[in-house]
Amino acid sequence: MKHSGCAVNKERHFSCEDCNGNVSGGFDASTSQIVLCQNNIRNEAHMNRVVTHELVHAFDHCRAHVNWFTDVRHLACSEVRAANLSGDCSLVNEIFRLHFGLKRHHQTCVRDRAILSILAVRNISKEVAQKAVDEVFESCFNDQEPFGRIPHNKTYARYAHRDFQNRDRYYSNI
Amino acid sequence: MADAGGWRPPRPCEAYRAEWTLCRSAGHLLHHYYVHGERPACEQWRRDLASCQEWEERRSAEAQRSLCESERARVQATRKHALVWTLRQSPPADWHLPLPQEEKDQ
């Protein structure tokens, strides 16, 4: 985030609030603030996942012109990326939700959770949300910035950070 | 590509070894199958490690060429899909601005 010009300040860019329903968090582009739903976040692992998810949205807001409120495809893209890269759709989390599947199940989960996230913040039909996700999925699922890979666990995250630190050497020698 | 005089492998050889080891691990096989529905392909990491070591030992031009080609292919693979949005030239102007006054006062 800092490298992209959006250094994160805990007091300015995070807010802990009570939320309606079972929403865990959100990113408010109008105030550049991540909201964490303190009444719905269950434990530290859940908190880590929600923070990562919302930081993906913040990162997209920082590096791109995302039309959050006027283009459902842009919202869909960021939700696909957040579901993909945050650990929302890990095998363990899906099993806890009683969604059993192995071969390519991650992609099914990313699609489904992106649609749910869109419906939670926009008053549109499921069909419209589904169509938007379908249209952007190929591009947005494969956009794994800033990690360059899906960070399944700390090892992958560590390798992604190593690559980030090595980026100057990398791009000047290919 | 930089001149041969100033060139070095894009990653340290330990990084190629680490990626190859991770790629062949049981955990990565499971993650990759869960995401892509197929086994991961790890051979290219092994080839890149060998090229890196060959360059370190003998400054082989062929090893340099092979590594550059391999890494450029990796970069191309990440760029093959058109982005849904336009990238910014600079971050949002209001990112660091204080919150609206009425919200601060609540």
Side-chain angles (χ1 to χ4, degrees):
Chain A
M1 289 292 286
K2 190 170 165 184
H3 178 71
S4 302
C6 296
V8 172
N9 176 281
K10 282 199 302 282
E11 283 70 36
R12 168 61 180 85
H13 296 111
F14 283 92
S15 174
C16 294
E17 300 173 10
D18 286 336
C19 304
N20 295 327
N22 65 351
V23 172
S24 301
F27 174 67
D28 185 349
S30 62
T31 57
S32 299
Q33 199 171 52
I34 288 170
V35 172
L36 301 175
C37 298
Q38 58 197 12
N39 58 328
N40 291 331
I41 293 178
R42 297 181 290 276
N43 52 51
E44 187 176 338
H46 187 199
M47 171 82 159
N48 288 341
R49 198 160 46 80
V50 174
V51 169
T52 307
H53 181 114
E54 304 307 334
L55 279 172
V56 169
H57 292 320
F59 176 72
D60 287 341
H61 182 66
C62 181
R63 64 162 179 154
H65 290 285
V66 181
N67 297 327
W68 296 102
F69 304 104
T70 56
D71 191 339
V72 72
R73 293 169 68 253
H74 284 201
L75 174 62
C77 186
S78 195
E79 292 297 355
V80 164
R81 283 176 29 78
N84 186 26
L85 301 172
S86 64
D88 280 349
C89 286
S90 71
L91 181 58
V92 166
N93 282 332
E94 278 290 271
I95 289 172
F96 281 149
R97 296 183 190 114
L98 304 181
H99 299 157
F100 300 108
L102 184 59
K103 182 174 179 176
R104 249 172 154 235
H105 181 75
H106 178 85
Q107 295 190 36
T108 305
C109 170
V110 167
R111 276 182 201 272
D112 291 345
R113 288 193 70 77
I115 291 167
L116 285 174
S117 292
I118 293 167
L119 294 176
V121 297
R122 291 289 177 271
N123 188 17
I124 59 177
S125 71
K126 188 172 177 194
E127 287 68 36
V128 170
Q130 206 156 349
K131 182 165 179 283
V133 168
D134 285 342
E135 281 178 12
V136 305
F137 191 83
E138 195 66 22
S139 169
C140 303
F141 184 80
N142 289 294
D143 177 0
Q144 295 169 348
E145 294 301 306
F147 304 105
R149 65 182 84 208
I150 297 172
H152 298 290
N153 57 37
K154 282 184 182 162
T155 299
Y156 291 85
R158 204 169 64 241
Y159 282 25
H161 184 60
R162 180 203 61 198
D163 290 346
F164 174 73
Q165 290 177 309
N166 188 55
R167 64 196 179 281
D168 289 342
R169 169 176 171 171
Y170 185 80
Y171 286 105
S172 63
N173 286 292
I174 61 171
Chain B
M1 196 162 71
D3 292 337
W7 188 87
R8 55 178 180 155
R11 311 176 204 237
C13 295
E14 307 84 68
Y16 289 110
R17 179 177 292 284
E19 295 287 359
W20 185 44
T21 303
L22 178 66
C23 188
R24 289 178 304 141
S25 68
H28 184 68
L29 170 62
L30 177 63
H31 286 306
H32 200 274
Y33 189 77
Y34 179 63
V35 174
H36 299 290
E38 57 186 28
R39 296 175 69 95
C42 304
E43 181 61 14
Q44 191 57 46
W45 289 117
R46 188 201 62 76
R47 279 195 283 263
D48 290 344
L49 171 60
S51 296
C52 189
Q53 288 168 331
E54 198 180 321
W55 191 86
E56 290 288 352
E57 284 160 25
R58 291 186 278 122
R59 293 296 189 266
S60 156
E62 172 56 28
Q64 178 181 351
R65 188 206 61 77
S66 172
L67 263 180
C68 284
E69 191 178 296
S70 172
E71 293 289 11
R72 277 193 227 128
R74 282 199 182 99
V75 171
Q76 279 303 107
T78 67
R79 293 178 185 171
K80 71 178 179 187
H81 297 103
L83 291 179
V84 165
W85 41 52
T86 314
L87 292 177
R88 289 181 186 265
Q89 300 297 319
S90 57
D94 57 356
W95 177 262
H96 293 291
L97 291 181
L99 288 164
Q101 190 61 36
E102 60 272 21
E103 202 164 310
K104 270 201 312 198
D105 290 342
Q106 276 172 10

